[in-house]
Amino acid sequence: MLTGHMVNEPVDANDPNGDVLVYESDMGPLGLRLDVYHTTTGDTVAYISPDWTEWSIGDESEMHDVITQAVSLSRWLSEARTLLHRLRGRNTTPPEHGR
């Protein structure tokens, strides 16, 4: 399940009119995190960042765990897509240059 919190903070404290981090997820399946930003161009973008650690699969039960996490990842990404769609509707950053 995708969990996290709304942030609504400038990415750069020295540039309050710059991009804004609006959502930051908790660690998801397979060590992934989701951050959603509203940009100065009026776009809403998402970045998925892995916390890659080397996996060593030594037996069938460890393989089953990886398969279970992969299934969770599919659900997590679907929830991330829904969240991004919802946040795009909240983006009130004025468009620049006729965008």
Side-chain angles (χ1 to χ4, degrees):
M1 175 188 282
L2 178 64
T3 59
H5 58 280
M6 301 301 289
V7 179
N8 203 31
E9 294 178 359
V11 172
D12 181 353
N14 296 319
D15 184 10
N17 296 320
D19 295 348
V20 175
L21 175 64
V22 293
Y23 180 84
E24 188 174 62
S25 79
D26 298 326
M27 193 70 66
L30 304 173
L32 295 178
R33 281 184 33 137
L34 171 73
D35 295 324
V36 179
Y37 299 87
H38 289 319
T39 68
T40 57
T41 61
D43 295 325
T44 301
V45 296
Y47 291 93
I48 296 175
S49 306
D51 176 28
W52 291 112
T53 56
E54 187 174 322
W55 290 346
S56 174
I57 300 171
D59 60 29
E60 190 175 325
S61 68
E62 289 176 353
M63 178 58 83
H64 185 267
D65 182 51
V66 171
I67 291 168
T68 300
Q69 287 199 40
V71 170
S72 294
L73 176 60
S74 175
R75 184 174 35 245
W76 188 85
L77 289 170
S78 178
E79 292 172 5
R81 181 185 63 203
T82 300
L83 174 70
L84 183 59
H85 179 74
R86 192 174 81 229
L87 290 175
R88 280 191 174 135
R90 291 186 181 177
N91 188 353
T92 57
T93 303
E96 294 182 351
H97 311 294
R99 284 188 83 189

